[in-house]
Structure formats: structure tokens, C-alpha cells
């Protein structure tokens, strides 16, 4: 039942070492592109960074350097620790996908494109959950670290997030407020 998949999907940050196959990634990207999109702009763009690829290693080093330079702490030891931790996170993710959407000079279309790409990500996450794959959606350091040129994103693409994928180590508990707290029903 789709409602079970919707309710049970959680944002996953810890993964087992199980591999995620290229076929699985393609299966999930196919789920993503069937999202609704106004004016049929199909604004989503995906960049897959396979585990152990040269690009994954380059990206991990780039993120490490960025974190070292941009760490809030001034303590060199702490900065090194943070940078290493972020590097390991990138290297270890069984699958990693950057998701962008095409920006539009018309603010209305731009908003629609961001909405559409968010729907695409949700499609991907639900399809993943159904086949036992967890997804962590991040808009954190992994996105802020100016990775565009390195990974080949076009200048008119705006980042929607980085998706970490793998078999979940644990199933976190979900929590939502009751619908009457967010609904006006006349
Ligand atoms: C646009 C967006 C950005 C997010 N960015 C992050 C992030 O940077 N780091 C993170 O840990 N979770 C991030 N998340 C996941 C949310 O924290 C997560 O969905 C929320 O805690 C609810 O948990 P659930 O998805 O398991 O129900 C993001 C979610 C969305 C929709």
C-alpha cells in the first residue's frame, strides 16, 4: 500500500556496506522523472557519483578541503577532524546523487521547477524505500561546498540537494503533528 511506504519512509543517514547497483539507481531515477511538472519543463537534472570512481575520490577531497577552510572552529585539530569526517561520509556512501533543477528567469516558473524537482526527489525516496533502500536528502555542506564545476553542473542549474543512498542500518522513528494542527477545514 502506498500509504505504508509514505508513512514508513525516513530520512536515512547511516548505511550498511551493501552495494547499490547501477540498475537500482536507474530504477530510482526513472521513478523520479515521472513526477508532475508544470509546462512539462522536466526541470530535474541528476549527477550520479559512483562509489570508488575517480570523481567520488576527487569530490571527497574537494569537500574535505572546503570543510577545512570553512570550519567554524579556529582550532586546527578540530578543523582537521571535521574535514576528515565529511570526506569519509562522501567516500562511504553506497550511492550518491546530486539533484539540480533548471533555473528560470520568470520567478513563477522557477518556483514551479523547484516544486517539480522536490516531487521528483520524493518519488525517488518512496520507490527506494519500497525496495529496501534508504535515502538521506542533504542540503548541507555537501551542497554548499561549490561542487558545481567539479561535478559538471551547468551554470543555470540550481541545487536541490545531494542524496545519499544505501541499505539503512536502522529504521529511525517518524513523528508528525496531527493533521488538525496544519489544516483549516471549512
Ligand atoms: C529540502 C530538504 C532539505 C533537507 N536537508 C537536510 C540536511 O541538510 N540534513 C539532514 O540531516 N536532513 C535534511 N533533510 C531531511 C529532513 O531533515 C527530514 O526529512 C526531517 O527530519 C523529517 O524526517 P523524515 O524525512 O524521516 O520524516 C532535508 C529535507 C528536505 C525536504
Amino acid at each position: 500500500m502506498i500509504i505504508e511506504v509514505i508513512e514508513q519512509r525516513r530520512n536515512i543517514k547511516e548505511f550498511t556496506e551493501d552495494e547499490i547497483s547501477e540498475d537500482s539507481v536507474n530504477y530510482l531515477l526513472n521513478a523520479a522523472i515521472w513526477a508532475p511538472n508544470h509546462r512539462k519543463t522536466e526541470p530535474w537534472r541528476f549527477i550520479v557519483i559512483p562509489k570508488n570512481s575517480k570523481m567520488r575520490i576527487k569530490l571527497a577531497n574537494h569537500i574535505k578541503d572546503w570543510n577545512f577552510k570553512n570550519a567554524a572552529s579556529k582550532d586546527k585539530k578540530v578543523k582537521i577532524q571535521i574535514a576528515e569526517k565529511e570526506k569519509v561520509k562522501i567516500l562511504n556512501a553506497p550511492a550518491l546523487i546530486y539533484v539540480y533543477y533548471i533555473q528560470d528567469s520568470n520567478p513563477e516558473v522557477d518556483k514551479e521547477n523547484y516544486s517539480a524537482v522536490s516531487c521528483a526527489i520524493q518519488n525517488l525516496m518512496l520507490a527506494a524505500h519500497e525496495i529496501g533502500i534508504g535515502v538521506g536528502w542533504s542540503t548541507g555542506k555537501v551542497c554548499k561546498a561549490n561542487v558545481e564545476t567539479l561535478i559538471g553542473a551547468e551554470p543555470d542549474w540550481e541545487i536541490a540537494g545531494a542524496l545519499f543512498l544505501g541499505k539503512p542500518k536502522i529504521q529511525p522513528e517518524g513523528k508528525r503533528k496531527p493533521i488538525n494542527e496544519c489544516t483549516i477545514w471549512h
Side-chain angles (χ1 to χ4, degrees):
M1 289 280 281
I2 193 155
I3 190 65
E4 285 164 5
V5 177
I6 290 170
E7 287 185 359
Q8 287 165 14
R9 175 216 58 83
R10 296 276 69 79
N11 198 62
I12 302 296
K13 292 177 159 188
E14 287 185 65
F15 306 104
T16 68
E17 284 178 12
D18 292 297
E19 283 178 20
I20 300 298
S21 70
E22 205 176 307
D23 281 352
S24 297
V25 172
N26 281 322
Y27 173 82
L28 299 178
L29 293 176
N30 181 61
I33 63 169
W34 282 98
N37 60 107
H38 196 202
R39 305 168 213 261
K40 308 236 166 80
T41 57
E42 301 188 40
W44 33 75
R45 294 292 180 269
F46 306 99
I47 300 180
V48 181
I49 319 274
K51 193 167 181 181
N52 299 323
S53 62
K54 279 188 191 155
M55 184 51 79
R56 183 75 79 95
I57 295 161
K58 274 191 205 167
L59 176 68
N61 285 324
H62 175 92
I63 294 220
K64 177 183 157 191
D65 294 345
W66 186 90
N67 274 285
F68 183 79
K69 277 188 207 129
N70 292 279
S73 171
K74 292 219 159 74
D75 183 333
K76 195 171 172 197
K77 246 188 181 168
V78 175
K79 280 157 78 96
I80 291 172
Q81 266 174 8
I82 293 169
E84 270 302 325
K85 192 172 150 214
E86 295 301 323
K87 177 180 175 176
V88 168
K89 230 161 81 179
I90 299 294
L91 287 177
N92 286 353
L96 177 60
I97 306 172
Y98 277 89
V99 186
Y100 290 82
Y101 69 95
I102 305 211
Q103 287 178 300
D104 200 283
S105 53
N106 177 341
E108 191 179 330
V109 178
D110 197 64
K111 197 172 177 182
E112 289 165 0
N113 284 354
Y114 181 59
S115 299
V117 82
S118 299
C119 293
I121 293 173
Q122 172 75 336
N123 272 8
L124 184 154
M125 293 194 299
L126 294 177
H129 180 74
E130 193 181 34
I131 60 169
I133 294 174
V135 182
W137 181 347
S138 175
T139 44
K141 293 167 185 164
V142 62
C143 294
K144 293 184 179 119
N146 311 320
V147 298
E148 309 74 44
T149 311
L150 175 71
I151 65 174
E154 299 287 332
D156 65 334
W157 298 3
E158 180 63 40
I159 198 149
L163 306 180
F164 293 80
L165 291 88
K167 297 269 162 71
K169 247 192 192 163
I170 50 157
Q171 167 72 10
E173 274 215 12
K175 197 164 187 282
R176 293 295 187 270
K177 293 173 191 154
I179 54 173
N180 62 10
E181 288 188 26
C182 57
T183 310
I184 297 172
W185 194 322
H186 294 288

